[in-house]
Amino acid sequence: MTELCEGLTHLDWNERWKAAAARRWQRTEKASRYWDKRAPSFGERNLDSAYAKAFLEALKPEPEWTILDVGCGTGALALPMAGSVRRITAVDFSEGMLRELDRCALNHGITNIQTKLGAWEDDWETLGLGVHDVAIASRSLVVDDLETALRKLDASARHRVLITSIVGDGPRDRRAMEAVGRNFPKGPDYIYVVNLLHQMGIYANVTFIDTEREWAFASRDEARDFYNTYLGNLDSPEEVRLEAYLDRELVHRGGRWTLRHPDVIRWALISWKKPVGEIQSEASRAL
Ligand SMILES: C[S@@+](CC[C@H](N)C(=O)[O-])C[C@H]1O[C@@H](n2cnc3c(N)ncnc32)[C@H](O)[C@@H]1O
């Protein structure tokens, strides 16, 4: 082994993730209330998402599969996938997100998605999640203890696991944060996940999904409300700077208000297959 490789194997990627996650995620984002508030805007983006299309192309769902979708949100993946698989267990700790998902499933006559209120941090045995053919976690790795989360997800899958994780800035709107005078909080990105998996003996495939930020608003007031929630607890000088930012950035096109500078958001799609015959031992090692 080269000196460089030895150096890397001695890094504790879970501890590094914890330190970086503490810098990146505010207490608000770790609370289900924060996600409850964002649920309506997530719901609107469910249908016709380029991101979901790319994810499902990589997943290649099969009709007999059962899927565990952790941090499912309003069903950006569960809803478009429902017609192509047997059953989906969609888990999230935000009641607001699950309510949107249930509402949308009902509207579309979808009956094979079971929503469950639960968190990464919960005891999944008590939640009764069980083992599924495939476990996915899309844009939902908002956790302190990455290793425990990855082990739980791995143990819940019979055949495959797929995760998407942040690359660089991720979906955070750096422009808006800096415009109101806040520091952009650097945080962990996908490379921590890949390195930790490697240390766990899981050699994952990595590809990337690029999407354009799709934020669009019916009115300027709606944009202001959105950023107020998104940025959280704006003081008066920040509110003034937000107004100036909206003056500069918002443009009225085709009856909607959109951002003048659309960003490309890159996600790392990290996936692995379970070794045949090692499923039970993997699961028991993990729990
Ligand atoms: C960015 S959204 C992604 C939703 C969906 N998977 C998608 O790709 O559109 C993140 C989701 O993770 C959920 N989440 C965040 N922290 C969580 C936790 N500790 N346990 C369970 N869900 C969590 C949020 O409620 C939210 O629905």
Side-chain angles (χ1 to χ4, degrees), residues 29-32 34-36 38 42 46 51 55 69-77 91-95 97-98 118-122 136-143 164 171 267:
E29 281 166 291
K30 299 225 197 87
S32 53
Y34 167 85
W35 295 101
D36 286 342
R38 296 191 64 191
F42 268 74
N46 261 349
Y51 168 83
F55 191 108
D69 181 357
V70 181
C72 58
T74 54
L77 294 175
V91 185
D92 205 289
F93 76 162
S94 156
E95 285 185 65
M97 291 281 180
L98 295 183
W120 281 107
E121 298 78 8
D122 287 344
I136 67 173
S138 159
R139 306 184 283 198
S140 67
L141 270 181
V142 189
V143 291
T164 47
W267 293 95

